[in-house]
Amino acid sequence: MARQDRLRRISQSHDRRRSGRGIRLWRKLAIWVLYPRTDRGFWYGFAIDLLWPVLMAVARWDYRGGNQVPTRGGALLAVNHLSHVDPIVLVSYVLANGRVPRFLAMKELWGQTFVGAPLRGGRHIPVDRGKSGIEAYRAAVEAVQRGEVVVVYPEGGFADHSDGWPRAARTGIARMALETGAPVIPVAQWGSNHLLPPTATRPTLFPRATLRVLAGPPVALDDLRAGRIGRKSLQEATDRIMGRITEQLAVLRGEEPPQRPEPVEPAHADDLQPPAVS
C-alpha cells in the first residue's frame, strides 16, 4: 500500500497545476516506475510496458480527478468514447492511480494474434455482439464483486462524425451498478480524438495532442437501489450517469454542452456493449 500511496500522491499532485497543462516528464517517469506490475497477466503487462513510453512520447497528458478512483474494492468507470485509442489512454490513467483496469471488448478480438493474448491474460471480458450479452454482463458483475475496476463505455461505440459530446447510452452499466452497489465514477476524456481521429488510419503526431482525463465524484444512485430494478429506474440511472460524464466533459472542453438527445429505450436488462476496439 505504501507504493500505491506514493504513486497516487505523485499522480494526483498534478491537479494543482493549471488545467490544460501537461503532466511534467519527471512525474510521468515516476508513475511509470511505480505503477502496478502485479495481477496483470504476462501479455497484458507486456502490452502496457510496451505502449506506455510510446504514449508518453506522442502526446501530452493532463490527468485529473484521480482521487475519485477507489484505492480498493470493485468500481465501475463510466467513460465517454471518442477514438480507438481510448482504452490505451484509460489504462494509463487508471494505472497512474494504482489500479489495474478490466475492459469489455468484442469477442472477435480474442482470436487475433497480437490483441487476443493481452485480452485473455488481463482477464478482460468478451462480448458477443451477435447474442444478448448476458454472459458478458454476468462476467462484468462478477469482476466488480471480486473487487475489480471495470471500465465501461455506455455509448457502446463512437460515431465517425460527431461533435464529440456523449450520445444516447445503453442501460447495461446502470443495471450493473444497481445490482452490485458498486460506485460509478463518471470519467470524461478529450484529446484522444485529436491523436487518432475516428476516421484516421494513423495517429496525428504534430502538433502533439493533449490527452485530457477528468474523473468526478461517484454518481448518486442509492435511491434507485432501494426498489425494484425496472425500466424506469434503469433509464433514470443511465441518464444520471451520462449527465455526469457530460458535465465532466464540459469542464475539459470549456464549453456548454448541447441539448441532450432523447434517451434510448432499454431493450433488455443486459443491454451492454463494448467499445469499438479495446
Side-chain angles (χ1 to χ4, degrees):
M1 286 302 296
R3 182 187 180 97
Q4 185 192 51
D5 291 343
R6 186 181 179 192
L7 169 63
R8 287 172 68 93
R9 283 197 303 271
I10 291 172
S11 175
Q12 294 166 20
S13 61
H14 171 71
D15 286 29
R16 294 194 293 266
R17 301 193 76 200
R18 181 168 57 84
S19 180
R21 298 289 297 274
I23 295 177
R24 295 183 186 275
L25 177 59
W26 73 265
R27 201 182 305 276
K28 289 197 286 188
L29 291 171
I31 293 169
W32 188 17
V33 170
L34 293 170
Y35 68 55
R37 285 177 167 77
T38 59
D39 197 32
R40 304 186 312 183
F42 176 80
W43 288 111
Y44 185 30
F46 178 79
I48 290 169
D49 292 338
L50 181 67
L51 292 173
W52 189 283
V54 174
L55 196 63
M56 281 200 296
V58 301
R60 299 181 180 90
W61 303 357
D62 183 21
Y63 293 172
R64 299 176 183 274
N67 62 313
Q68 302 298 339
V69 179
T71 57
R72 62 179 64 84
L76 293 160
L77 267 58
V79 192
N80 64 314
H81 203 8
L82 301 166
S83 165
H84 289 299
V85 80
D86 288 348
I88 300 174
V89 177
L90 260 294
V91 166
S92 69
Y93 178 78
V94 178
L95 284 173
N97 289 288
R99 300 298 301 271
V100 179
R102 315 296 175 188
F103 287 80
L104 295 136
M106 295 182 296
K107 186 177 181 180
E108 293 82 356
L109 296 176
W110 262 248
Q112 296 185 10
T113 302
F114 296 108
V115 179
L119 291 173
R120 290 188 297 270
R123 300 204 307 273
H124 299 292
I125 301 165
V127 179
D128 188 341
R129 291 192 172 192
K131 298 182 179 179
S132 67
I134 189 64
E135 291 182 1
Y137 171 80
R138 289 172 178 165
V141 166
E142 290 173 2
V144 172
Q145 290 175 335
R146 66 172 177 262
E148 303 275 17
V149 171
V150 176
V151 178
V152 180
Y153 297 91
E155 298 162 274
F158 56 84
D160 289 344
H161 301 282
S162 77
D163 58 5
W165 292 102
R167 302 178 298 158
R170 302 176 183 274
T171 60
I173 189 172
R175 176 170 283 274
M176 290 167 58
L178 297 183
E179 180 174 339
T180 64
V184 179
I185 311 301
V187 181
Q189 59 177 347
W190 187 248
S192 59
N193 50 321
H194 300 148
L195 176 61
L196 186 66
T199 57
T201 57
R202 61 184 62 184
T204 301
L205 302 181
F206 301 100
R208 291 174 73 201
T210 298
L211 304 174
R212 306 187 64 193
V213 183
L214 175 64
V219 181
L221 298 173
D222 287 346
D223 59 314
L224 300 177
R225 293 184 174 112
R228 175 181 171 275
I229 300 177
R231 292 166 65 93
K232 185 176 180 179
S233 60
L234 287 172
Q235 193 60 59
E236 174 63 24
T238 302
D239 290 346
R240 292 185 193 181
I241 292 167
M242 295 310 297
R244 290 291 308 284
I245 294 173
T246 302
E247 289 173 7
Q248 301 302 116
L249 183 58
V251 172
L252 290 183
R253 296 178 61 167
E255 303 173 19
E256 287 294 322
Q259 185 175 0
R260 292 174 59 194
E262 290 296 320
V264 296
E265 286 294 325
H268 299 286
D270 56 341
D271 190 6
L272 186 65
Q273 293 292 339
V277 173
S278 292

